[in-house]
Amino acid sequence: MIGYVVDRSICKNNWLRLRSADLNFSSSLSPSATLRVDCTEGSRKINKNKEASAACAERSRSALSQLFFPSLSRPTISYLIFIIGLLSFVLTFPTVASGAEARIAVASNFIATIKRLKPQFEQQSGHKLTLHFGSTGKLYAQIINGAPFDLFLAADAVRPKKLEADGKAVAGSRFTYATGVLVLWIAEALVQPEKGKTAKTIFEQDEIKHISMTNPKLAPYGMAAKQFLQASNYWGKYQTRLLLGNNVAQTLQFVQSGGVGAGFIALAQVAAKKRNSASVWIIPTEKYMPLQQQAVLLKQGEDNLAAKAFIQFLKTKEVVKQIEEAGYSLEKEVNAKEGHGKKGDKKEKGSD
């Protein structure tokens, strides 16, 4: 620090002028004040004698030492300068060596849940997550076309398996983080539980003009809704009255805006206090293939510390419990359904 000041100093007219504004640490001097050091001996031969120039610089160092540390010896001052420099490095090191950042592609049904988990993870780990939402089908298309994602949280097992098989995901990194639950949500204005008008009865009595659902070709929840309608012999009745959304988030918006009277969405999208209300009908799980939602580490994030740490975070008991409370199947149910995903895979392949 002192050496820097000396380099910018000018030895002229037998005096060394040091401006306070050039100093890199606080002093009692005003920015316009100058420190004058007698350099008569050195200035006589400043251009011819390096020793004289060095003597001039040495006088300036001594003057600075007296200015800032008047009562300390030179060895002590040197030691203090070393300690100050060391502390500066230590204090700034966390900023230089900050946590890693991971770009995560997330299926729309998991938006609310991951937004609650994100700040917890970042606070605990020091890493940062950048989230990108969309339907599983569209995110998959972006990934195979080179989108720079590190981790993929899909709403099915089909696409993660394909990415792994095609070498675009890290082998052995795929795991089930949740199993989704399909529900039919009816606009509250149409529901009259005291008269027996619930989401289930209104649907079965064909009292809904239009229903929204996610495009089966883009999203697993749309495929699940289609499977339910076909299995219950309602597909022919409602097929021409369906409003297709690009993802379940948009499907939910169709109902919220009043554009349609009902919509097939994820249970996790319904507020916890309304999940047992008359406006929500949890579709029987035997009517559609299990919504086994899998995550997979992509090749882009193979060495990404943040992505790897988030995978471990999702597997902790505390986080699994939070995911369950958000409206997904229990952990034991997820494990029990692992073997049933293969049947669903065959049906969903045609919807890619």
Side-chain angles (χ1 to χ4, degrees):
M1 193 178 297
I2 292 176
Y4 170 74
V5 174
V6 171
D7 289 341
R8 294 191 58 180
S9 303
I10 302 175
C11 190
K12 187 176 182 182
N13 297 329
N14 301 333
W15 291 94
L16 182 68
R17 298 174 60 83
L18 299 174
R19 295 188 304 108
S20 175
D22 289 336
L23 302 177
N24 292 336
F25 47 94
S26 302
S27 75
S28 59
L29 297 176
S30 66
S32 60
T34 60
L35 178 65
R36 293 165 61 85
V37 182
D38 186 358
C39 290
T40 304
E41 180 180 351
S43 63
R44 290 175 180 172
K45 299 180 180 180
I46 191 67
N47 295 323
K48 298 180 180 180
N49 194 326
K50 293 183 179 180
E51 294 182 0
S53 180
C56 177
E58 181 62 28
R59 286 171 184 263
S60 69
R61 294 192 186 95
S62 298
L64 286 172
S65 299
Q66 291 302 314
L67 174 65
F68 293 100
F69 311 105
S71 61
L72 299 179
S73 63
R74 288 182 59 188
T76 303
I77 292 172
S78 299
Y79 178 74
L80 285 175
I81 293 173
F82 170 76
I83 294 299
I84 291 172
L86 181 62
L87 287 175
S88 298
F89 173 78
V90 172
L91 291 175
T92 57
F93 183 75
T95 302
V96 177
S98 57
E101 179 178 355
R103 293 166 58 92
I104 305 181
V106 186
S108 296
N109 74 89
F110 205 63
I111 291 178
T113 306
I114 199 169
K115 281 186 175 181
R116 288 193 293 268
L117 296 176
K118 179 179 182 287
Q120 298 176 39
F121 170 75
E122 291 181 337
Q123 184 177 10
Q124 292 177 21
S125 67
H127 297 308
K128 181 181 178 181
L129 301 180
T130 300
L131 307 176
H132 301 267
F133 303 113
S135 68
T136 295
K138 285 196 171 183
L139 291 174
Y140 170 79
Q142 291 175 21
I143 292 170
I144 62 176
N145 282 291
F149 298 133
D150 301 300
L151 181 64
F152 183 29
L153 270 60
D156 65 6
V158 179
R159 278 109 175 161
K161 285 181 179 178
K162 284 185 176 181
L163 291 171
E164 191 176 40
D166 294 340
K168 294 185 178 295
V170 178
S173 66
R174 183 169 50 86
F175 71 101
T176 300
Y177 65 92
T179 292
V181 178
L182 181 69
V183 302
L184 177 66
W185 182 45
I186 302 283
E188 294 184 4
L190 302 177
V191 177
Q192 295 177 300
E194 67 280 1
K195 295 183 180 181
K197 289 186 176 295
T198 64
K200 182 176 185 295
T201 60
I202 291 173
F203 173 81
E204 292 176 339
Q205 293 170 13
D206 194 13
E207 297 180 18
I208 309 172
K209 291 183 178 181
H210 296 93
I211 298 178
S212 63
M213 61 179 273
T214 311
N215 189 333
K217 294 181 179 181
L218 298 177
Y221 279 84
M223 175 56 68
K226 181 178 180 180
Q227 290 172 350
F228 159 71
L229 291 172
Q230 291 175 329
S232 304
N233 297 319
Y234 286 110
W235 179 250
K237 182 182 292 187
Y238 282 105
Q239 185 177 5
T240 58
R241 290 184 279 167
L242 294 174
L243 179 61
L244 301 182
N246 291 325
N247 52 64
V248 289
Q250 187 178 56
T251 300
L252 175 62
Q253 291 174 359
F254 288 154
V255 184
Q256 291 176 327
S257 65
V260 296
F264 287 102
I265 60 174
L267 178 62
Q269 293 176 280
V270 181
K273 61 182 179 181
K274 294 184 178 181
R275 289 174 188 167
N276 294 320
S277 68
S279 62
V280 177
W281 178 27
I282 298 179
I283 304 302
T285 55
E286 65 270 15
K287 297 292 185 178
Y288 61 92
M289 299 309 299
L291 287 163
Q292 185 183 2
Q293 302 191 193
Q294 291 197 339
V296 67
L297 182 65
L298 302 173
K299 280 292 185 179
Q300 166 82 19
E302 187 170 10
D303 298 318
N304 188 294
L305 297 179
K308 291 182 177 180
F310 189 64
I311 288 176
Q312 297 306 315
F313 175 77
L314 288 175
K315 295 179 179 180
T316 62
K317 291 183 179 180
E318 295 78 7
V319 174
V320 168
K321 183 179 180 181
Q322 290 185 58
I323 293 176
E324 294 169 359
E325 293 172 348
Y328 296 92
S329 292
L330 298 177
E331 184 179 16
K332 61 182 179 181
E333 293 177 331
V334 171
N335 294 332
K337 292 177 180 179
E338 287 280 354
H340 297 291
K342 295 181 180 179
K343 293 182 180 179
D345 292 350
K346 290 182 181 180
K347 280 199 172 185
E348 291 187 75
K349 282 183 179 179
S351 67
D352 294 339

